[in-house]
């Protein structure tokens, strides 16, 4: 009977410690709302490794996207804005925790210059199509649009990842 009481007391203590760690994590992550930040959390026995792992977790988000020409440089530019916002050591477990953060707005602004030439070309072709009475000239201009739309679609996959609402640009 004493063992059962002792075992239940130890279990209750362990649960309390676990809950306090989850509460601490919730408090720390609450400083970075999901509509403004993309966050990843990592833990390790070493502080440097925990920080590096948290940043690597952010990079894996982009690694899951299809690779296109120029996308690696663009994604590297976006990820240069990522940083380790906080780190701490859990007193109970001795593990280090790190929160890596990528601000959504500056990251999305990195993509804007890539959209501008594509959108202006598409707009120019669209106005040529609507202004031209000859259907063969309209068809010639319409044939030029799919490669531009494909380039725009490549950018949209990155923009959707960064956008809180997962909408396109």
């Amino acid at each position: 009977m004493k063992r059962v009481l002792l075992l239940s007391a130890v279990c209750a203590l362990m649960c309390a410690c676990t809950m306090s760690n989850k509460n601490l994590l919730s408090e720390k992550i609450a400083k970075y709302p999901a509509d403004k930040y993309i966050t990843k959390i990592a833990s390790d026995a070493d502080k440097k490794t925990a920080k590096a792992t948290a940043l690597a977790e952010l990079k894996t988000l982009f690694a899951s996207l299809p690779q296109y020409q120029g996308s690696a440089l663009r994604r590297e530019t976006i990820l240069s804005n990522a940083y380790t916002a906080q780190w701490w050591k859990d007193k109970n477990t001795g593990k280090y925790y790190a929160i890596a953060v990528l601000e959504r707005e500056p990251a999305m602004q990195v993509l804007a210059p890539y959209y501008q030439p594509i959108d202006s070309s598409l707009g120019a072709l669209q106005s040529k199509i609507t202004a031209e009475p000859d259907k063969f000239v309209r068809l010639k201009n319409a044939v030029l649009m799919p490669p531009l739309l494909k380039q725009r679609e490549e950018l949209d996959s990155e923009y959707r990842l960064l956008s809180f609402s997962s909408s396109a640009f």
Side-chain angles (χ1 to χ4, degrees):
M1 184 68 169
K2 289 181 182 179
R3 285 185 178 170
V4 172
L5 289 174
L6 181 63
L7 184 60
S8 61
V10 169
C11 286
L13 181 63
M14 287 175 64
C15 288
C17 291
T18 304
M19 290 305 290
S20 69
N21 188 31
K22 287 181 181 177
N23 290 338
L24 177 67
L25 188 58
S26 297
E27 288 173 17
K28 293 200 181 265
I29 202 80
K31 296 177 183 174
Y32 306 99
D35 63 331
K36 297 193 185 319
Y37 300 95
I38 297 174
T39 57
K40 288 294 181 178
I41 301 167
S43 66
D44 200 276
D46 179 46
K47 178 173 75 170
K48 272 185 162 180
T49 309
K51 286 179 169 184
T53 305
L55 288 171
E57 287 291 321
L58 279 175
K59 290 181 182 180
T60 60
L61 289 173
F62 287 93
S64 66
L65 296 175
Q67 294 293 323
Y68 299 107
Q69 182 180 2
S71 64
L73 178 63
R74 221 177 19 248
R75 292 170 187 175
E76 191 63 36
T77 305
I78 290 169
L79 288 169
S80 68
N81 294 325
Y83 59 95
T84 305
Q86 288 187 8
W87 64 268
W88 68 95
K89 184 175 183 177
D90 186 352
K91 296 172 187 167
N92 298 328
T93 63
K95 279 185 159 182
Y96 286 94
Y97 289 85
I99 300 176
V101 172
L102 177 64
E103 293 182 54
R104 290 181 187 274
E105 191 61 34
M108 288 189 291
Q109 288 174 358
V110 168
L111 293 176
Y114 294 99
Y115 273 106
Q116 185 186 18
I118 296 170
D119 287 349
S120 64
S121 297
L122 284 170
L125 285 172
Q126 181 63 36
S127 56
K128 284 181 184 178
I129 289 170
T130 55
E132 183 61 46
D134 184 13
K135 63 182 173 183
F136 292 111
V137 175
R138 287 194 312 246
L139 183 61
K140 178 185 165 191
N141 287 323
V143 168
L144 298 173
M145 290 180 107
L148 292 170
L149 292 172
K150 185 177 182 329
Q151 288 177 358
R152 195 171 198 297
E153 186 179 318
E154 294 168 6
L155 290 171
D156 281 345
S157 65
E158 295 169 0
Y159 193 87
R160 278 188 206 99
L161 178 69
L162 296 171
S163 172
F164 180 63
S165 63
S166 298
S167 62
F169 185 73

